[in-house]
Amino acid sequence: MNKIMYLEFERCIGCRACQAACRECGDHDAKERNYVEYVDFTESRQTFPMLCMQCKDPACARVCPANAIQITEEGVVLSAMEEKCIGCRNCTFGCPFGIPKFDFEKNKMYKCDMCYDRTREDIAPMCASVCPSDAIRFIDFDEMQQLRRRRTQMNLVEGKKPQEGNKWDYVPEFFGVYTDSQS
């Protein structure tokens, strides 16, 4: 996998095209595995895309007593393997981003796996392939580095400082994520 996911939350326009595309993905059982959330519904209508951050040390996998959540050699955290998942839901409680969901009818956990069948072939995941505002992108590492540098320069000009000790520390370097609250 030579490309990476890059998110710019403030670009999200709330169209939910990413969710519709996710539902249409081959093995997703017509369930979206990404979400569009409101920043603060009482204050504004601003939304942001929320998908698995593919953590360096994923809490969902760490707390799984059945070792059902596997991590590929590229670092992609996959959904729980049906034959191993015991339905304890520890993963849903352990994830700091609230990504894993539990299907009570099928007694299994499901989550965003970056459309691994596509991304391992350097094809954009469904969500990134349809995002009209480029809030979700699947780009080369060099392009991400350029965007990060530009973003850091803009944050310095605007006087924004990075926050320390928050859940974004779990996100690996290959997953470029930026919000107004982080540089």
Side-chain angles (χ1 to χ4, degrees):
M1 193 165 40
N2 295 321
K3 294 190 176 189
I4 54 154
M5 291 293 283
Y6 184 79
L7 302 177
E8 283 190 273
F9 289 155
E10 65 275 1
R11 286 179 167 262
C12 181
I13 58 174
C15 68
R16 291 177 167 61
C18 56
Q19 288 181 291
C22 188
R23 277 192 303 275
E24 297 299 319
C25 196
D27 64 347
H28 288 188
D29 299 324
K31 292 181 186 287
E32 64 246 4
R33 296 171 181 217
N34 60 3
Y35 313 97
V36 174
E37 304 284 348
Y38 288 98
V39 173
D40 183 352
F41 188 73
T42 61
E43 295 291 321
S44 79
R45 302 293 292 164
Q46 178 62 47
T47 56
F48 63 95
M50 200 65 214
L51 43 132
C52 182
M53 294 295 135
Q54 309 300 328
C55 298
K56 292 182 259 191
D57 183 21
C60 62
R62 252 193 351 259
V63 300
C64 178
N67 198 28
I69 301 170
Q70 301 298 304
I71 304 164
T72 69
E73 60 186 48
E74 296 92 351
V76 176
V77 183
L78 302 173
S79 284
M81 297 184 327
E82 284 187 55
E83 63 275 6
K84 285 188 164 187
C85 182
I86 60 174
C88 68
R89 299 184 308 160
N90 283 357
C91 55
T92 63
F93 302 121
C95 176
F97 300 98
I99 296 300
K101 301 298 181 212
F102 192 77
D103 184 334
F104 288 96
E105 290 177 16
K106 295 187 178 187
N107 198 40
K108 71 173 187 176
M109 177 276 269
Y110 60 95
K111 61 174 268 322
C112 166
D113 60 6
M114 279 181 44
C115 294
Y116 187 62
D117 58 326
R118 295 170 58 94
T119 55
R120 71 174 169 226
E121 305 295 331
D122 276 344
I123 300 169
M126 295 295 285
C127 58
S129 69
V130 300
C131 182
S133 64
D134 281 338
I136 305 170
R137 291 185 253 180
F138 192 62
I139 59 176
D140 294 321
F141 185 80
D142 292 338
E143 187 179 350
M144 183 204 62
Q145 291 293 79
Q146 277 183 316
L147 289 166
R148 289 177 80 165
R149 275 193 290 279
R150 192 173 333 141
R151 188 64 185 237
T152 300
Q153 290 168 348
M154 286 181 62
N155 283 343
L156 290 172
V157 168
E158 295 172 10
K160 296 177 183 171
K161 296 179 183 177
Q163 294 180 353
E164 294 185 25
N166 63 29
K167 65 185 178 183
W168 299 106
D169 293 338
Y170 292 103
V171 180
E173 284 296 313
F174 76 81
F175 203 97
V177 177
Y178 283 96
T179 68
D180 279 337
S181 64
Q182 176 187 9
S183 70

